[in-house]
Amino acid sequence: MIIDFTFYNPTKIIFGKNSLDKLEEELNNFGEKILFTYGGGSIKKNGIYEKVIAILNKCNKKIIEFGNVTANPTLDKMLEGSKLAKENEVDLILAVGGGSVIDCAKGISATAYCEGEVFNRYWIRREPVTNKTIPVASILTMVGTGSEMNGGSVIRDVKQMIKEVRKFPVECFPKFSILNPEFTFTVPKFQMVSGIFDVMSHLMEQYFSGNDDNTSDYMIEGLLKSVIHSAKIAIADQTNYEARSNIMWCATLALNTLVGCSKSQDWEVHAIEHQLGAYADTPHGMGLCCISMPYYRYIYKYGLDKFVRFAQVIWNVDGQGKTKDEIAREGIDCLEQFAKDCGMVTKLKDIGCTREMLPLIANSSILGGAYKKLNHEEILHILEQCYE
Ligand code: NZQ
Ligand code: ZN
Protein backbone atom coordinates (compact mmCIF):
# COMPACT_ATOMS: atom_id res chain seq x y z
CA MET A 1 0.00 0.00 0.00
CA ILE A 2 1.29 3.46 -0.77
CA ILE A 3 1.02 5.53 2.35
CA ASP A 4 1.02 9.34 2.20
CA PHE A 5 4.30 10.99 1.24
CA THR A 6 5.80 14.11 -0.33
CA PHE A 7 8.53 13.68 -2.88
CA TYR A 8 10.51 16.68 -4.09
CA ASN A 9 13.98 16.53 -5.60
CA PRO A 10 15.17 19.64 -7.46
CA THR A 11 18.67 18.46 -8.53
CA LYS A 12 19.21 18.71 -12.26
CA ILE A 13 21.06 15.62 -13.53
CA ILE A 14 23.22 16.06 -16.63
CA PHE A 15 24.28 12.55 -17.63
CA GLY A 16 26.60 11.25 -20.31
CA LYS A 17 29.91 11.26 -22.13
CA ASN A 18 29.62 14.91 -23.12
CA SER A 19 27.97 16.15 -19.95
CA LEU A 20 30.91 18.36 -18.94
CA ASP A 21 30.18 20.45 -22.05
CA LYS A 22 27.08 21.71 -20.22
CA LEU A 23 29.07 23.07 -17.26
CA GLU A 24 29.63 26.47 -18.87
CA GLU A 25 25.91 27.01 -19.47
CA GLU A 26 25.08 25.98 -15.89
CA LEU A 27 27.77 28.19 -14.37
CA ASN A 28 26.25 31.21 -16.06
CA ASN A 29 23.34 30.93 -13.62
CA PHE A 30 25.62 31.72 -10.65
CA GLY A 31 27.84 34.60 -9.53
CA GLU A 32 31.55 34.83 -10.24
CA LYS A 33 33.12 33.43 -7.05
CA ILE A 34 33.45 29.64 -7.03
CA LEU A 35 34.75 27.46 -4.21
CA PHE A 36 36.32 24.64 -6.24
CA THR A 37 36.25 21.70 -3.80
CA TYR A 38 38.03 18.42 -4.44
CA GLY A 39 39.76 15.46 -2.79
CA GLY A 40 43.27 14.17 -2.44
CA GLY A 41 44.48 14.55 -5.98
CA SER A 42 42.86 11.89 -8.20
CA ILE A 43 41.35 14.64 -10.38
CA LYS A 44 44.82 16.04 -11.02
CA LYS A 45 46.07 12.64 -12.16
CA ASN A 46 43.17 11.84 -14.50
CA GLY A 47 42.89 15.26 -16.13
CA ILE A 48 39.48 16.30 -14.77
CA TYR A 49 41.07 19.15 -12.77
CA GLU A 50 42.51 20.82 -15.89
CA LYS A 51 39.25 20.45 -17.79
CA VAL A 52 37.22 22.08 -14.99
CA ILE A 53 39.74 24.89 -14.47
CA ALA A 54 39.67 25.65 -18.21
CA ILE A 55 35.87 25.96 -18.18
CA LEU A 56 35.88 28.12 -15.03
CA ASN A 57 38.45 30.44 -16.62
CA LYS A 58 36.45 30.60 -19.85
CA CYS A 59 33.45 31.75 -17.79
CA ASN A 60 35.60 34.41 -16.08
CA LYS A 61 35.01 32.91 -12.67
CA LYS A 62 37.13 33.79 -9.65
CA ILE A 63 38.38 30.40 -8.42
CA ILE A 64 38.95 29.75 -4.74
CA GLU A 65 40.53 26.30 -4.49
CA PHE A 66 39.71 24.00 -1.59
CA GLY A 67 41.46 20.63 -2.06
CA ASN A 68 42.55 17.69 0.08
CA VAL A 69 39.10 16.77 1.36
CA THR A 70 39.69 13.23 2.63
CA ALA A 71 37.46 10.17 2.51
CA ASN A 72 35.20 10.16 5.59
CA PRO A 73 35.51 13.97 5.69
CA THR A 74 36.32 15.58 9.02
CA LEU A 75 34.56 18.40 10.80
CA ASP A 76 37.80 20.42 10.98
CA LYS A 77 38.30 20.22 7.23
CA MET A 78 34.69 21.19 6.60
CA LEU A 79 35.00 24.18 8.95
CA GLU A 80 38.15 25.28 7.10
CA GLY A 81 36.02 25.30 3.93
CA SER A 82 33.18 27.16 5.65
CA LYS A 83 35.58 29.90 6.75
CA LEU A 84 37.03 30.20 3.26
CA ALA A 85 33.56 30.32 1.71
CA LYS A 86 32.38 33.08 4.05
CA GLU A 87 35.55 35.19 3.81
CA ASN A 88 35.39 35.10 0.03
CA GLU A 89 31.58 35.43 -0.13
CA VAL A 90 31.47 32.59 -2.64
CA ASP A 91 28.48 32.28 -4.96
CA LEU A 92 28.74 28.54 -5.63
CA ILE A 93 30.50 25.53 -4.15
CA LEU A 94 31.55 23.25 -7.01
CA ALA A 95 32.35 19.79 -5.62
CA VAL A 96 34.39 17.57 -7.94
CA GLY A 97 34.80 14.08 -6.51
CA GLY A 98 32.96 11.28 -4.73
CA GLY A 99 30.56 11.29 -1.81
CA SER A 100 33.14 12.65 0.63
CA VAL A 101 33.80 15.79 -1.39
CA ILE A 102 30.12 16.40 -2.13
CA ASP A 103 29.10 15.78 1.51
CA CYS A 104 31.76 18.23 2.66
CA ALA A 105 30.47 20.80 0.16
CA LYS A 106 26.92 20.50 1.53
CA GLY A 107 28.26 20.90 5.06
CA ILE A 108 30.06 24.08 4.00
CA SER A 109 26.88 25.30 2.35
CA ALA A 110 24.88 24.90 5.56
CA THR A 111 27.48 26.12 8.05
CA ALA A 112 29.40 28.99 6.39
CA TYR A 113 26.87 31.48 7.77
CA CYS A 114 26.03 29.60 10.97
CA GLU A 115 27.38 30.65 14.35
CA GLY A 116 28.25 28.39 17.26
CA GLU A 117 28.75 24.64 17.55
CA VAL A 118 27.62 23.67 14.09
CA PHE A 119 28.20 19.91 14.40
CA ASN A 120 26.15 19.48 17.55
CA ARG A 121 23.54 21.82 16.19
CA TYR A 122 23.06 20.40 12.70
CA TRP A 123 24.34 16.81 12.85
CA ILE A 124 23.55 15.76 16.43
CA ARG A 125 20.45 17.79 17.32
CA ARG A 126 19.41 18.15 13.66
CA GLU A 127 18.12 21.67 14.14
CA PRO A 128 16.41 23.29 11.15
CA VAL A 129 18.69 25.38 8.93
CA THR A 130 17.57 29.01 9.22
CA ASN A 131 20.80 30.76 8.18
CA LYS A 132 21.80 31.64 4.62
CA THR A 133 23.06 28.66 2.57
CA ILE A 134 25.41 28.65 -0.42
CA PRO A 135 24.40 26.83 -3.63
CA VAL A 136 26.23 23.54 -4.27
CA ALA A 137 26.85 21.74 -7.58
CA SER A 138 28.74 18.54 -8.27
CA ILE A 139 30.80 16.74 -10.87
CA LEU A 140 30.78 13.10 -9.80
CA THR A 141 33.96 11.03 -10.12
CA MET A 142 33.22 8.02 -7.86
CA VAL A 143 29.92 6.15 -7.80
CA GLY A 144 28.11 4.83 -4.74
CA THR A 145 26.72 7.27 -2.21
CA GLY A 146 24.01 9.02 -4.22
CA SER A 147 25.21 12.30 -2.68
CA GLU A 148 24.96 13.86 -6.15
CA MET A 149 21.17 13.96 -5.87
CA ASN A 150 20.28 14.24 -2.21
CA GLY A 151 20.77 16.41 0.86
CA GLY A 152 22.90 13.92 2.81
CA SER A 153 26.12 15.10 4.40
CA VAL A 154 28.09 12.60 6.48
CA ILE A 155 30.74 14.32 8.61
CA ARG A 156 33.23 12.88 11.11
CA ASP A 157 34.04 14.68 14.34
CA VAL A 158 37.33 13.12 15.40
CA LYS A 159 37.23 14.77 18.85
CA GLN A 160 33.88 13.28 19.83
CA MET A 161 34.51 10.11 17.73
CA ILE A 162 31.19 10.48 15.95
CA LYS A 163 30.48 10.14 12.24
CA GLU A 164 26.97 11.32 11.63
CA VAL A 165 24.63 11.87 8.71
CA ARG A 166 22.53 14.99 8.32
CA LYS A 167 19.87 15.17 5.64
CA PHE A 168 19.88 18.83 4.72
CA PRO A 169 16.87 20.54 3.12
CA VAL A 170 16.61 21.07 -0.63
CA GLU A 171 18.54 24.37 -0.42
CA CYS A 172 21.68 22.25 0.09
CA PHE A 173 20.95 19.62 -2.58
CA PRO A 174 23.25 20.05 -5.59
CA LYS A 175 21.62 22.53 -7.99
CA PHE A 176 23.02 20.41 -10.78
CA SER A 177 25.19 17.30 -10.98
CA ILE A 178 27.30 16.28 -13.95
CA LEU A 179 27.53 12.49 -14.30
CA ASN A 180 30.01 11.23 -16.87
CA PRO A 181 30.59 7.47 -16.46
CA GLU A 182 33.99 7.85 -18.15
CA PHE A 183 35.16 9.97 -15.20
CA THR A 184 34.84 6.86 -13.04
CA PHE A 185 37.11 4.65 -15.20
CA THR A 186 40.18 5.56 -13.11
CA VAL A 187 38.57 4.62 -9.78
CA PRO A 188 40.67 1.71 -8.38
CA LYS A 189 38.86 -1.64 -8.39
CA PHE A 190 38.73 -1.75 -4.59
CA GLN A 191 36.95 1.63 -4.49
CA MET A 192 34.68 0.65 -7.37
CA VAL A 193 33.41 -2.49 -5.63
CA SER A 194 33.10 -0.56 -2.39
CA GLY A 195 30.77 1.85 -4.18
CA ILE A 196 28.83 -1.05 -5.69
CA PHE A 197 28.15 -2.55 -2.29
CA ASP A 198 27.13 0.89 -1.01
CA VAL A 199 24.49 1.07 -3.76
CA MET A 200 23.24 -2.41 -2.89
CA SER A 201 23.14 -1.56 0.79
CA HIS A 202 21.10 1.60 0.16
CA LEU A 203 18.62 -0.49 -1.80
CA MET A 204 18.48 -3.32 0.76
CA GLU A 205 18.11 -0.98 3.73
CA GLN A 206 15.01 0.47 2.12
CA TYR A 207 13.71 -2.92 0.93
CA PHE A 208 13.97 -4.80 4.23
CA SER A 209 11.08 -3.05 5.93
CA GLY A 210 7.32 -3.50 5.83
CA ASN A 211 5.22 -6.52 4.82
CA ASP A 212 2.88 -4.76 2.40
CA ASP A 213 2.64 -4.93 -1.39
CA ASN A 214 4.50 -1.78 -2.38
CA THR A 215 5.59 -0.37 -5.75
CA SER A 216 8.82 0.92 -4.18
CA ASP A 217 9.92 -2.68 -3.50
CA TYR A 218 9.49 -3.62 -7.16
CA MET A 219 11.60 -0.60 -8.18
CA ILE A 220 14.29 -1.63 -5.70
CA GLU A 221 14.33 -5.17 -7.07
CA GLY A 222 14.83 -3.81 -10.58
CA LEU A 223 17.72 -1.61 -9.49
CA LEU A 224 19.33 -4.43 -7.50
CA LYS A 225 19.18 -6.76 -10.48
CA SER A 226 20.68 -4.10 -12.73
CA VAL A 227 23.57 -3.26 -10.40
CA ILE A 228 24.39 -6.94 -9.76
CA HIS A 229 24.36 -7.66 -13.50
CA SER A 230 26.55 -4.65 -14.36
CA ALA A 231 28.93 -5.20 -11.44
CA LYS A 232 30.06 -8.53 -12.89
CA ILE A 233 30.77 -6.90 -16.27
CA ALA A 234 32.55 -3.85 -14.80
CA ILE A 235 34.80 -6.02 -12.62
CA ALA A 236 35.95 -7.97 -15.67
CA ASP A 237 36.23 -4.85 -17.83
CA GLN A 238 36.57 -1.62 -15.84
CA THR A 239 36.15 0.64 -18.86
CA ASN A 240 32.94 -0.98 -20.08
CA TYR A 241 30.81 2.13 -20.61
CA GLU A 242 27.50 0.28 -20.65
CA ALA A 243 28.13 -1.33 -17.28
CA ARG A 244 29.66 1.75 -15.66
CA SER A 245 26.82 3.97 -16.87
CA ASN A 246 24.21 1.56 -15.49
CA ILE A 247 25.95 1.36 -12.13
CA MET A 248 26.18 5.15 -12.00
CA TRP A 249 22.49 5.68 -12.70
CA CYS A 250 21.51 2.89 -10.26
CA ALA A 251 23.54 4.62 -7.56
CA THR A 252 21.79 7.94 -8.08
CA LEU A 253 18.34 6.35 -8.16
CA ALA A 254 19.09 4.23 -5.09
CA LEU A 255 19.40 7.23 -2.79
CA ASN A 256 17.68 10.21 -4.36
CA THR A 257 14.79 9.38 -1.96
CA LEU A 258 12.48 8.10 -4.75
CA VAL A 259 12.52 4.39 -3.90
CA GLY A 260 12.19 5.19 -0.20
CA CYS A 261 8.78 6.78 -0.70
CA SER A 262 6.16 4.98 1.36
CA LYS A 263 8.79 2.77 3.01
CA SER A 264 9.56 2.72 6.74
CA GLN A 265 13.21 1.74 5.96
CA ASP A 266 15.89 0.21 8.19
CA TRP A 267 19.36 1.94 8.11
CA GLU A 268 20.83 0.06 11.11
CA VAL A 269 23.68 -1.28 8.93
CA HIS A 270 24.54 2.28 7.95
CA ALA A 271 24.32 3.51 11.54
CA ILE A 272 26.82 0.84 12.63
CA GLU A 273 29.09 1.49 9.64
CA HIS A 274 29.20 5.23 10.27
CA GLN A 275 30.51 4.61 13.78
CA LEU A 276 32.95 2.08 12.36
CA GLY A 277 34.12 4.91 10.10
CA ALA A 278 34.51 7.20 13.12
CA TYR A 279 36.80 4.70 14.87
CA ALA A 280 38.60 2.96 12.02
CA ASP A 281 38.28 5.40 9.06
CA THR A 282 37.07 2.52 6.88
CA PRO A 283 36.04 2.69 3.20
CA HIS A 284 32.28 3.12 3.58
CA GLY A 285 31.05 0.38 1.21
CA MET A 286 33.47 -2.23 2.51
CA GLY A 287 32.38 -1.51 6.09
CA LEU A 288 28.78 -2.06 5.00
CA CYS A 289 29.75 -5.32 3.31
CA CYS A 290 31.36 -6.68 6.49
CA ILE A 291 28.32 -5.78 8.62
CA SER A 292 25.48 -6.75 6.27
CA MET A 293 25.67 -10.56 6.20
CA PRO A 294 25.88 -11.08 10.00
CA TYR A 295 23.22 -8.41 10.49
CA TYR A 296 20.80 -9.96 8.01
CA ARG A 297 21.44 -13.46 9.39
CA TYR A 298 20.47 -12.09 12.80
CA ILE A 299 17.27 -10.28 11.78
CA TYR A 300 15.90 -12.28 8.80
CA LYS A 301 13.52 -14.38 10.89
CA TYR A 302 11.68 -11.22 11.97
CA GLY A 303 10.97 -10.30 8.32
CA LEU A 304 10.99 -13.83 6.91
CA ASP A 305 8.64 -13.33 3.94
CA LYS A 306 10.66 -10.41 2.63
CA PHE A 307 13.90 -12.35 2.89
CA VAL A 308 12.29 -15.27 1.02
CA ARG A 309 11.22 -12.84 -1.71
CA PHE A 310 14.76 -11.39 -1.82
CA ALA A 311 16.23 -14.88 -2.25
CA GLN A 312 13.82 -15.85 -5.02
CA VAL A 313 13.52 -12.58 -6.96
CA ILE A 314 17.12 -11.33 -6.71
CA TRP A 315 19.10 -14.57 -6.55
CA ASN A 316 16.69 -17.03 -8.25
CA VAL A 317 16.84 -19.41 -5.30
CA ASP A 318 14.80 -22.52 -6.07
CA GLY A 319 12.34 -22.98 -3.22
CA GLN A 320 11.35 -26.55 -4.16
CA GLY A 321 11.24 -28.75 -1.06
CA LYS A 322 12.78 -26.11 1.21
CA THR A 323 11.39 -24.31 4.24
CA LYS A 324 11.01 -20.53 4.20
CA ASP A 325 13.86 -20.36 6.67
CA GLU A 326 16.16 -22.32 4.35
CA ILE A 327 15.24 -20.19 1.34
CA ALA A 328 15.83 -16.94 3.24
CA ARG A 329 19.22 -18.13 4.48
CA GLU A 330 20.21 -19.22 0.99
CA GLY A 331 19.45 -15.70 -0.27
CA ILE A 332 21.85 -14.20 2.27
CA ASP A 333 24.44 -16.84 1.32
CA CYS A 334 24.09 -15.76 -2.33
CA LEU A 335 24.66 -12.13 -1.32
CA GLU A 336 27.81 -13.17 0.54
CA GLN A 337 29.08 -15.26 -2.37
CA PHE A 338 28.47 -12.34 -4.74
CA ALA A 339 30.49 -10.04 -2.45
CA LYS A 340 33.36 -12.53 -2.35
CA ASP A 341 33.26 -13.06 -6.12
CA CYS A 342 33.51 -9.28 -6.56
CA GLY A 343 36.62 -9.16 -4.36
CA MET A 344 34.85 -7.26 -1.59
CA VAL A 345 36.07 -7.38 2.01
CA THR A 346 33.80 -9.33 4.34
CA LYS A 347 35.70 -9.18 7.65
CA LEU A 348 36.26 -6.09 9.77
CA LYS A 349 39.76 -7.15 10.82
CA ASP A 350 40.81 -6.68 7.18
CA ILE A 351 39.83 -3.00 7.00
CA GLY A 352 41.61 -1.46 9.97
CA CYS A 353 39.12 -2.28 12.71
CA THR A 354 40.48 -3.74 15.97
CA ARG A 355 38.65 -5.95 18.46
CA GLU A 356 38.91 -3.21 21.09
CA MET A 357 36.84 -0.91 18.90
CA LEU A 358 33.83 -3.24 18.77
CA PRO A 359 32.18 -2.30 22.11
CA LEU A 360 32.81 1.39 21.43
CA ILE A 361 31.16 1.10 18.03
CA ALA A 362 28.25 -0.89 19.49
CA ASN A 363 27.79 1.75 22.21
CA SER A 364 27.21 4.52 19.77
CA SER A 365 25.31 3.00 16.87
CA ILE A 366 21.87 1.98 18.07
CA LEU A 367 19.40 3.41 15.61
CA GLY A 368 16.40 1.15 15.74
CA GLY A 369 16.15 -1.11 12.71
CA ALA A 370 12.91 -2.04 10.97
CA TYR A 371 12.06 -5.72 11.50
CA LYS A 372 13.94 -5.94 14.79
CA LYS A 373 15.00 -3.24 17.22
CA LEU A 374 18.46 -4.12 18.47
CA ASN A 375 20.01 -3.40 21.84
CA HIS A 376 23.67 -2.86 22.67
CA GLU A 377 24.41 -6.55 23.37
CA GLU A 378 22.82 -7.61 20.10
CA ILE A 379 24.86 -5.09 18.07
CA LEU A 380 28.03 -6.20 19.81
CA HIS A 381 27.16 -9.83 19.08
CA ILE A 382 26.68 -8.96 15.38
CA LEU A 383 29.95 -6.98 15.29
CA GLU A 384 31.81 -9.98 16.70
CA GLN A 385 30.44 -12.09 13.84
CA CYS A 386 31.68 -9.42 11.40
CA TYR A 387 35.17 -9.28 12.84
CA GLU A 388 36.85 -12.49 11.64
O1 NZQ B 1 40.50 11.96 -2.76
P1 NZQ B 1 40.80 11.54 -4.14
O2 NZQ B 1 42.23 11.63 -4.49
O3 NZQ B 1 39.91 12.19 -5.15
O4 NZQ B 1 40.53 9.93 -4.20
C1 NZQ B 1 39.26 9.36 -3.94
C2 NZQ B 1 39.18 8.67 -2.59
O5 NZQ B 1 40.44 8.24 -2.18
C3 NZQ B 1 39.03 8.23 -4.90
N1 NZQ B 1 38.46 8.67 -6.18
C4 NZQ B 1 37.33 9.35 -6.38
N2 NZQ B 1 37.11 9.51 -7.71
C5 NZQ B 1 38.16 8.94 -8.34
C6 NZQ B 1 39.03 8.40 -7.37
N3 NZQ B 1 40.18 7.77 -7.69
C7 NZQ B 1 40.48 7.65 -9.00
N4 NZQ B 1 39.68 8.12 -9.99
C8 NZQ B 1 38.52 8.76 -9.70
N5 NZQ B 1 37.72 9.19 -10.70
O6 NZQ B 1 38.12 7.38 -4.25
C9 NZQ B 1 38.35 7.44 -2.86
C10 NZQ B 1 37.03 7.43 -2.13
O7 NZQ B 1 36.30 8.59 -2.39
P2 NZQ B 1 35.06 8.97 -1.48
O8 NZQ B 1 34.46 10.22 -1.99
O9 NZQ B 1 35.46 8.92 -0.04
O10 NZQ B 1 34.08 7.72 -1.72
P3 NZQ B 1 32.52 7.61 -1.65
O11 NZQ B 1 31.91 8.21 -2.85
O12 NZQ B 1 32.24 6.20 -1.35
O13 NZQ B 1 32.09 8.51 -0.39
C11 NZQ B 1 32.10 8.00 0.92
C12 NZQ B 1 31.56 9.01 1.92
O14 NZQ B 1 30.18 9.31 1.65
C13 NZQ B 1 29.38 9.05 2.82
C14 NZQ B 1 30.16 7.96 3.50
O15 NZQ B 1 29.80 7.80 4.85
C15 NZQ B 1 31.59 8.43 3.32
O16 NZQ B 1 31.93 9.42 4.26
N6 NZQ B 1 27.99 8.75 2.45
C16 NZQ B 1 27.23 9.75 1.97
C17 NZQ B 1 25.89 9.58 1.69
C18 NZQ B 1 25.03 10.67 1.20
N7 NZQ B 1 25.53 11.87 1.03
O17 NZQ B 1 23.85 10.47 0.95
C19 NZQ B 1 25.22 8.30 1.90
C20 NZQ B 1 26.16 7.16 2.04
O18 NZQ B 1 25.48 6.10 2.69
C21 NZQ B 1 27.42 7.47 2.77
O19 NZQ B 1 27.23 7.39 4.17
ZN1 ZN C 1 26.00 4.28 2.07
Side-chain angles (χ1 to χ4, degrees):
M1 180 177 63
I2 302 302
I3 51 166
D4 306 1
F5 69 85
T6 301
F7 173 73
Y8 177 53
N9 191 321
T11 300
K12 184 194 278 192
I13 295 293
I14 305 167
F15 195 104
K17 282 186 186 179
N18 300 315
S19 49
L20 194 65
D21 294 350
K22 303 273 173 57
L23 179 60
E24 187 179 343
E25 191 184 320
E26 292 302 323
L27 287 175
N28 289 334
N29 297 322
F30 300 92
E32 64 158 358
K33 284 166 282 177
I34 312 286
L35 188 74
F36 177 17
T37 308
Y38 55 91
S42 69
I43 63 164
K44 291 192 174 166
K45 287 192 205 119
N46 60 23
I48 298 172
Y49 175 88
E50 280 77 15
K51 285 182 188 152
V52 173
I53 288 279
I55 297 168
L56 289 169
N57 284 331
K58 194 171 169 215
C59 300
N60 292 317
K61 299 294 184 188
K62 184 178 174 225
I63 307 166
I64 298 111
E65 283 200 37
F66 181 59
N68 291 320
V69 175
T70 59
N72 298 324
T74 64
L75 175 62
D76 285 350
K77 185 66 185 175
M78 186 200 79
L79 291 175
E80 194 188 314
S82 302
K83 192 162 169 271
L84 202 60
K86 189 180 178 189
E87 276 169 8
N88 289 280
E89 298 178 322
V90 302
D91 300 301
L92 177 73
I93 306 165
L94 182 62
V96 185
S100 296
V101 173
I102 305 173
D103 283 12
C104 184
K106 291 178 205 165
I108 295 170
S109 162
T111 60
Y113 294 98
C114 176
E115 302 297 327
E117 294 222 311
V118 295
F119 188 76
N120 289 344
R121 195 167 158 184
Y122 283 159
W123 278 264
I124 304 296
R125 295 198 296 275
R126 304 208 167 128
E127 291 179 16
V129 179
T130 50
N131 52 270
K132 174 183 163 180
T133 57
I134 303 168
V136 174
S138 85
I139 299 172
L140 188 67
T141 67
M142 148 92 201
V143 165
T145 65
S147 189
E148 65 276 12
M149 199 179 178
N150 68 35
S153 170
V154 185
I155 298 295
R156 182 165 57 107
D157 181 351
V158 287
K159 289 191 198 85
Q160 297 191 73
M161 291 303 256
I162 299 173
K163 186 176 175 221
E164 190 60 71
V165 60
R166 169 66 197 256
K167 291 176 191 155
F168 282 118
V170 287
E171 290 75 21
C172 301
F173 281 45
K175 300 292 174 211
F176 65 88
S177 285
I178 290 179
L179 274 59
N180 181 347
E182 288 181 346
F183 287 178
T184 69
F185 284 176
T186 54
V187 174
K189 187 182 162 216
F190 178 78
Q191 290 292 348
M192 179 182 80
V193 296
S194 179
I196 287 169
F197 199 88
D198 193 19
V199 179
M200 293 175 70
S201 181
H202 295 158
L203 292 165
M204 292 187 291
E205 296 232 47
Q206 295 171 93
Y207 186 72
F208 290 125
S209 63
N211 299 306
D212 56 329
D213 185 36
N214 192 314
T215 302
S216 294
D217 286 328
Y218 296 89
M219 291 199 284
I220 293 171
E221 287 167 350
L223 290 170
L224 269 173
K225 284 186 189 180
S226 176
V227 76
I228 290 165
H229 175 78
S230 293
K232 292 173 190 158
I233 299 167
I235 286 163
D237 173 12
Q238 263 190 256
T239 56
N240 185 302
Y241 186 87
E242 186 171 58
R244 296 305 284 265
S245 62
N246 282 321
I247 297 169
M248 192 176 226
W249 189 221
C250 277
T252 306
L253 291 169
L255 206 57
N256 70 353
T257 74
L258 179 68
V259 301
C261 290
S262 183
K263 293 285 304 171
S264 52
Q265 311 179 21
D266 188 309
W267 297 114
E268 183 62 58
V269 171
H270 265 71
I272 300 171
E273 198 290 327
H274 285 158
Q275 273 317 97
L276 173 68
Y279 282 93
D281 197 9
T282 38
H284 174 63
M286 289 301 85
L288 297 169
C289 185
C290 296
I291 298 160
S292 291
M293 272 62 82
Y295 176 73
Y296 290 133
R297 286 191 179 110
Y298 191 80
I299 65 142
Y300 78 92
K301 42 192 172 301
Y302 302 95
L304 189 58
D305 286 345
K306 197 55 157 298
F307 280 88
V308 169
R309 177 170 160 179
F310 174 73
Q312 296 192 308
V313 175
I314 304 300
W315 304 106
N316 301 317
V317 170
D318 181 4
Q320 198 71 34
K322 294 173 192 157
T323 64
K324 281 187 177 183
D325 196 87
E326 285 166 342
I327 300 168
R329 288 189 71 86
E330 207 174 313
I332 302 168
D333 292 346
C334 289
L335 175 65
E336 183 168 57
Q337 193 55 51
F338 170 80
K340 287 180 176 163
D341 291 347
C342 289
M344 294 171 182
V345 182
T346 55
K347 293 296 170 193
L348 290 179
K349 70 170 174 36
D350 297 327
I351 46 169
C353 179
T354 64
R355 206 175 261 293
E356 292 68 42
M357 290 175 187
L358 302 183
L360 302 167
I361 295 165
N363 269 343
S364 51
S365 55
I366 300 170
L367 184 76
Y371 289 130
K372 171 87 174 86
K373 307 266 178 253
L374 301 180
N375 60 33
H376 168 81
E377 284 69 33
E378 289 173 309
I379 295 181
L380 185 56
H381 168 77
I382 291 167
L383 278 167
E384 276 159 1
Q385 312 297 306
C386 307
Y387 185 71
E388 61 184 352

